[in-house]
Amino acid sequence: HVIPVWVDVDDERRIVFNAGEESLHLKAMRRDPRVSLCLDDDTPPFAFVTIAGTVELIDELPVVRAWAARLGQKD
């Protein structure tokens, strides 16, 4: 399952993104925490990087809200 998401990096250099509770990608991550990300720079001269790893799902509402606010400020 491939979807675009806004990402950021936390203080421990982990990539962070939000997923809606009913989203297909969250259901897939709950079933199998292995993920692959492709970060794409759409500005010339264009670049990308792919990353594979496992997810750590965080359901703590204050943490989720803080990251949602931070990610929502992205351009």
Side-chain angles (χ1 to χ4, degrees):
H1 184 72
V2 178
I3 61 161
V5 294
W6 284 342
V7 301
D8 207 336
V9 178
D10 70 8
D11 294 337
E12 296 178 31
R13 299 176 55 105
R14 295 177 296 190
I15 298 170
V16 178
F17 60 92
N18 282 358
E21 190 60 38
E22 295 299 316
S23 66
L24 182 59
H25 60 289
L26 179 59
K27 291 175 183 179
M29 289 182 291
R30 288 193 191 284
R31 192 173 52 251
D32 182 350
R34 295 175 298 162
V35 297
S36 179
L37 301 173
C38 180
L39 305 177
D40 179 37
D41 181 0
D42 61 358
T43 307
F46 309 113
F48 70 93
V49 63
T50 57
I51 303 165
T54 57
V55 296
E56 173 187 356
L57 299 175
I58 299 173
D59 293 330
E60 300 165 26
L61 193 53
V63 176
V64 172
R65 284 184 176 155
W67 277 107
R70 185 169 166 172
L71 291 165
Q73 294 176 0
K74 297 261 181 216
D75 290 326

